[in-house]
Each structure stands twice: as structure tokens, then as C-alpha cells.
Amino acid sequence: MQISYSRSLNVIADVDVLVCGVGCAGTGAAVGAARLGASVLAVEQCGFAGGFMTAITSNATDGLCDMTTGEVVVGGVVLEILERLGKITLPLKSRKIFEPLTDQEKLDKHPGKLPIRTGNVDRFKLVADRLIRESGARVLYHTKVVDVVSRGGRIHHVVLGNKDGLTAVRPKVVVDCTGDADVAAWAGAPYEMAAVRQPGSLHFRVGNVDNANTSDKLYALTKRCAEVIEEAHRAGEMGVYAGPGIAPMGPGEVMFNAVRVAFDSTSAQQTSDAEIKGREDAWTMYSIWKERLPEFANAYFVTSGPVIGARESRRIVGERTLTADDVFHTRRYEDAVAKGSWYMDRHPSDTSGFHKHTIVPAYDISYGTLLPRKVENLLVAGRCHSADQEALASSRVNMTAMALGEGAGVGAAMAAAGAVAPADIDRSDLRRRLAAQGALL
């Protein structure tokens, strides 16, 4: 059954750059574009910025460093946020901030696999708010992109839905940071989506856990949690699960990345079902650990993430595609706007437990991977950029996404100022401007 529906919408803004989604990529895009003097409106369906860091809840810095050298490879907005969180002091005395995690046994004993964690989730929200507002960008929270009006390969308006009802924005350039490439898909840009994708996860936090305050104790606790949940899985008490991955959140409080749910994040029904299942699985695991492990005797369930995290959905078909061969051979590109460095971290959708993390050196990510075909005034950033499925297992992560967002935002601002398509800007000048904002290229 279908209905026809027509109405006139108020155009609430006429802007140089519209950023759709203010997760990690969108935060980088909004700040990067606004600092170049562009008028920027950023819209986000949650009530806060940060995406993976806040809506999914994490304190990870995946992609910050080359894991083979211990050197920081992502700069710009990423490092500014870490400084404001009190985790680093700029300028860095050395780009090498930890001993490389290349030995598999050492890697296994380092539960977070990370040199730095961001700390309190709500403080991240606060820092992101301040950074966006100080840049001059305007942000609308609780606002979802619901449609795109495009003609002749160009986006003319983007339709928004929020407490004001349906409204429209007329942008010169759009940066799609929705994760699912919603704007790109609705505007007619070609994309790929594999039949079998990486599963999603609903993170959850547990407080008052004993023996969780040092790396060694956390590693030992991880092993015990894994043994107990594997036994429960074999007994039919628990379905498919991940890891568990355990990260410290504060004294006695840990975050679990242990829910594993295969779903299509471009489907409203599948996403709803996945969140329901994720909450059930999270509570089941917590209950099993509380019953069977002494470290959980006085523990309590703090919260699950407001949103289930998706690792993979639509991937645009871009001017250039990042491939696994690019990653493994550390291929260099003259128009690189960011470096990727995270492990090849491809989660299986139908098996339980830990999975392999293949170590790779830092590699270039071309600006061309942010340029969808067939839509001239659009860029994307984050996990929906143009990458093959294997390469995305590395490039999808949060710090890389923020760097890609900053690259897309600066490119969008340059295109708007020059009245050209994002594909036609001077890419050497783009890299110079990114370097001036602190990007490490």
C-alpha cells in the first residue's frame, strides 16, 4: 500500500556546508569546515556529538597510532580533543607514545590494545560541544536527515525531521557522516553492501568489579569471563557472543564489548530488533558472571549504550577505493587526507569468542575515497567511505573516521568557497590547509 503526500517546507538554513551526522567523522567535518570560514550546519539524531565514543559508549582511540612503531599518525581535531580531555600535552615531545604491540602474546595481554583511553564518556560530549561551537559551526541535535532533493547529479535540499517538524536546508556542499551513507544513497550515488557484513555490538558497563584496576588483573579477568561465558554458550544458555573485550572505565568499572548481533543498520526494523536482542544478551552475560565469578559478587549493571553500534553497511563507490592491497602494502597517495593504522579487525558474524587482529603499518587514505560518484556536491566520511570489505575492517575505526571527517570538511569548505565541485579543488592546497589545522599527513 502506498500514499501520496505533499506539503511545503520551510527552508531554515542556506549554508556553505551541511554535515549530516555528528559522530566522530561529523565532529571532524564540522570543525574542519568552520575553521576555514565556511557557514556550517551540523545535524545529529542523538542529543550529543561523538557517535562511537558517546552513543555507543567507548573510551577507545582506535587508529591513533601506528601499532608497529608506537607513533601517533592522526592529528588535527583528534589531538585537540585528547589534550582537552587531559590525556596529552601539545605539542607532543615525541610522536612515539608507546612500545609497539606487534607480539601476539603481548597483544593478548594488553586488553585494550591501546596506548591512550579517553576517559569519561560525558566529558567527551562536553569537549565535543565546546570544540564545535568554538569553531563557529551551528549544531542541531535530535535532528534526523529524512530525505534528499536532488536533480541533475546535485543535491539541492536536504529534508530534516525534529521537534520543529519537517524542514529543509539548502547547502552548497553536503558531508555525509551518517555511517550508513544515507544521504549518498538517497541522492542516487552508487554504493556497495555485502550480503554478509561484520556484526554490530551493544556495549555495556558494569560497576564495582573486583580485580579490574590494573592491566594484568584486567587480562586475567578477561580470561575468566571468557571461560565462563564459553561454558554457558556450550550449555545453550548464551547465543553468539564476542570476546569478551573488556576496557577500564574507572575504579572498579569496566566496559564490555561482548554482544555480537548480525543486522542491517539501514533497516529500521532490524536495528530495533538488534537493540532488543543486544540488551537481552548483555544482561544474560552480566547475570552469568555475577552468579559464577567472585569478582562480580558485589557488581552492578551500570548501563548499556544508548545505540547499538554497526561496523559495516553501505560503502560508497568512490573516485578511488581503498583496498586490502593498499593497506598491506602501505601504498602512498599524493592526495592522502589521513592515515589508517588500526589492525585488520574483521569481526565474524556467526561464531563466538575472540577473533584475529592482523597487524598492519600505517597507510594512506586518498581524498578520492570520500568522493561519491554521480553526485557532484557531496562528500562522505567515516565507515561509509569507498573501501573494499577487507580494507574497511581497518579504516572504519573512530580516530581514523575523525581524521577523514576533517579532510572532508576542509575539502567541502574549499569547494563551497570556490564554487566548484569537491572533486575539482586543488588537492595539494587541501593537504596544506589540513596540515595548518594540525593534521599528520
Side-chain angles (χ1 to χ4, degrees), residues 23 28 40 48 71 76-77 93 152 167 184 209 220 224 233 238 260 273 291 303 333 337 367 395 407 415:
V40 177
F48 42 81
E71 292 185 336
V77 171
K93 293 180 179 179
T167 57
V209 179
R224 287 193 290 276
H233 176 67
M238 181 69 220
R260 180 169 284 168
D273 292 344
E291 176 187 325
T303 187
Y333 287 103
V337 292
Y367 178 66
S395 67

Side-chain angles (χ1 to χ4, degrees), residues 27 44 47 52 58 69 72 80 102 107 134 157 163 181 193 197 214 246 271 307 310 323 401 405 415 421 432:
T27 299
E44 165 57 41
F52 175 75
S58 179
T69 66
V72 173
E80 288 185 56
T102 55
L107 182 64
E134 289 167 14
H157 293 88
K163 292 296 288 184
M193 191 160 75
R197 299 171 298 279
T214 69
I246 304 181
T271 301
V307 176
T323 67
R432 284 192 293 270

